Amino acid sequence: MTSEMTSVLIVGAGPTGLTLACVLAREGVPVRIVDKAPAFHRGSRGKGLNQRSREIFEDLGVGEEATASGIEHITLRKYRGGKMISDHVSAGDRVPTADAPYASGLLLPQWRTEEILRGRLAALGTEVELASELTGFTQDEDGVTATFADGRQVRARWLVACDGGRSFVRKTLGFAFEGSTETEECMVIGDVRADGLDPAYWHQWFDEDGAIMLCPFRDSDHWQLQAGPERDAAGRLVPPSPESFQRLFDRHARIPGIRLTDVRWMSTYRINVRMADRFREGRVFLAGDAAHVHSLAGGMGMNTGIQDAFNLGWKLALVARGTAGEALLDTYEEERLPVAAWTLQLTDERLRAVREGVRKAGVGTEAVVTEDTTTLGVAYPWSSLSWEGPDAGTRAGGVRRGEGGAWFTLRGRPGPALREVAEQCGELVRVEEDEEAKDLLLVRPDHHVAMRVSEDRAGEVTARVRSLQTT
C-alpha cells in the first residue's frame, strides 16, 4: 500500500495537538493532525488559559481573539447554607506589566479554545482530519509509518502523540505510566443552562455535606456545572443526569424557580495522577495528557499540554527545515519531563489546599491559585540550552511579544556586536536594537533566556547558536 507523506503526524486534535500544529504550520513544516472522533467536541471541559498560555496564544497570533472570547478577573461568589457569604475577584490584586502583560487568567470553554486554534491552523493551510483512528505504527531510522482503521497509511518523519490520558500511542510503546488513581469519582460535571442566575459571577456553594459550582462563559447560554456526586440510599454514587444536576442545585443553592435545562454535556471526574517515564522513543514523542495527568486543581492540565507543544514545536520546526541538527530534539524531554513532575506535585498540593480551604465559610476555588499556577515562573536552568548568564533558562518577560516564529532573538545596543551575530547566524537569529541595553540577551523561540553576556562576547553567542546546526 502506498503511504501518504508528511513531515510531522500529530495524533489528537485537542489544545495540545492544535498548538503544536499551529507552530509547525506557521514555519512551513508539512504537518497533518488527526483525531479518531467523528465530530468536534462541544463540552466546556478544561475551561481556562493561564497567564503563560495566554502569552503563547499571543505569539501564535490568536491572543486578541481568545481575550475577546473569555472572561478576565471573574468574581467568585461564595455561599454557605444557601446564603451569599463573600465575593472574591480572581487576580484582583494584579495589574498588567511590561514583563507580565496578562494580569489574569482567561475563562473560556475548551470547545472555544479549540475552535480558535483550528481557525488559526486553517488560515495556515491545515485542517483537522476527523474519524481517523490510529490502529498501529512502526518506525525506522528515517521515519514512522502509521496505519489507520480504514486501512490508510501515513508516512511521517516524526509522530507526536497528543491523544490524551488513555493514549494509544503511549500504550503501544509500552511506556510506564506510574502513579495513582482514586477509587471513586469525586465530581460530576456538565454544561447546562441556568436561566435567571446572574452571569456576572462564578457561583460556588460549599456546604458541609457537598458542593456545587456554576461557572459562566462569555456569549454563551451555558454554564459549566461542577458538583460532588450524589449518593443513593445505599451510599452508592449516582451517575450524572439532568435530574441529579437539578437535585444537587436545589439542595445547595436553594434558589426557587431556577431550572437547569438543555444539558449539553455530562461526565464524571476521578483524580488520576500519573506520568510517563519518558516522553520520547526514537521518532515518536508524547505531549500533554498522553505524557502526564494530574488533579484539575489550578487548571494546569490543558495549560501544561499547550506549553509542552510550544516547547517541542519550535525544535521540531528547526530540525524539519534542516536549520538545526536532530540533537536539539533531545532537549524536549530534558526540559519538559522535570516540569511535568513538578506539576504533579504542585497540583497535589493545591488540591489539598482547596479541599482544606472550602471547609471555611466564604472560601472557594481562589484557595487553589498561587503564583506557581500562572506558570510564568517555569524555567529550565538545568537545560543544555541554558548556556550562560544568571537568568539562563528563565522566561524572558517583555522581550518577545506579538507574532513570533522559530528563531532566536538577540537584544542589544545598535552596533557591530549585533551585526556580527546576525551575519554569522543567518535565519536562526533576528536582532532587536535597544539603546538602553547593557549586554547581549539571547532569547529562544519559546521566550526563555538562552544566554546573557557582555557585548565583547558576541563571538560566543554566534558559536553557541551555530552549534545547534552541527549537533
Side-chain angles (χ1 to χ4, degrees), residues 132-384:
S132 297
E133 182 177 2
L134 184 72
T135 56
F137 59 91
T138 59
Q139 61 174 311
D140 52 44
E141 290 184 359
D142 299 318
V144 180
T145 301
T147 303
F148 293 88
D150 60 3
R152 183 168 45 101
Q153 288 190 333
V154 173
R155 178 73 174 169
R157 290 179 66 187
W158 296 280
L159 184 151
V160 184
C162 304
D163 54 343
R166 297 185 176 91
S167 172
F168 170 80
V169 175
R170 186 193 66 242
K171 292 175 181 178
T172 301
L173 290 171
F175 284 10
F177 203 47
E178 300 294 340
S180 62
T181 301
E182 290 195 355
T183 56
E184 285 189 336
E185 289 85 1
C186 67
M187 183 183 296
V188 291
I189 187 168
D191 291 341
V192 303
R193 288 187 62 143
D195 295 344
L197 197 62
D198 190 342
Y201 303 97
W202 181 353
H203 300 271
Q204 304 186 353
W205 293 269
F206 288 97
D207 295 323
E208 295 295 330
D209 61 346
I212 189 170
M213 299 187 291
L214 284 164
C215 178
F217 298 113
R218 177 172 287 179
D219 300 326
S220 174
D221 293 328
H222 281 77
W223 302 62
Q224 186 186 85
L225 179 150
Q226 294 172 284
E230 273 192 305
R231 291 184 182 273
D232 62 19
R236 295 184 296 262
L237 295 180
V238 176
S241 68
E243 294 76 21
S244 71
F245 283 174
Q246 186 67 52
R247 289 193 299 267
L248 286 164
F249 181 81
D250 292 342
R251 177 179 180 179
H252 297 293
R254 308 176 193 181
I255 305 176
I258 291 185
R259 308 301 300 170
L260 306 185
T261 62
D262 192 18
V263 178
R264 192 162 65 181
W265 166 64
M266 293 184 297
S267 188
T268 59
Y269 176 74
R270 179 181 301 187
I271 294 175
N272 196 15
V273 182
R274 297 181 181 274
M275 190 175 87
D277 56 343
R278 52 210 159 108
F279 290 180
R280 179 188 184 188
E281 182 169 302
R283 292 184 170 271
V284 181
F285 298 84
L286 306 182
D289 286 355
H292 43 76
V293 294
H294 41 78
S295 109
L296 50 67
M300 301 287 283
M302 181 176 71
N303 288 287
T304 303
I306 288 169
Q307 291 158 37
D308 283 349
F310 200 59
N311 182 288
L312 177 59
W314 70 269
K315 298 169 182 178
L316 270 175
L318 289 181
V319 176
R321 291 200 321 238
T323 310
E326 293 213 9
L328 179 61
L329 300 178
D330 295 336
T331 66
Y332 168 65
E333 180 180 293
E334 176 190 11
E335 292 182 345
R336 294 304 293 177
L337 193 149
V339 170
W342 169 82
T343 303
L344 264 63
Q345 294 174 349
L346 174 64
T347 52
D348 278 353
E349 170 197 309
R350 300 326 303 157
L351 180 64
R352 288 193 296 271
V354 76
R355 280 176 164 173
E356 180 66 28
V358 298
R359 294 176 184 173
K360 181 179 178 181
V363 177
T365 55
E366 75 277 6
V368 81
V369 178
T370 67
E371 184 64 31
D372 283 339
T373 60
T374 70
T375 56
L376 294 175
V378 168
Y380 311 116
W382 61 83
S383 172
S384 57

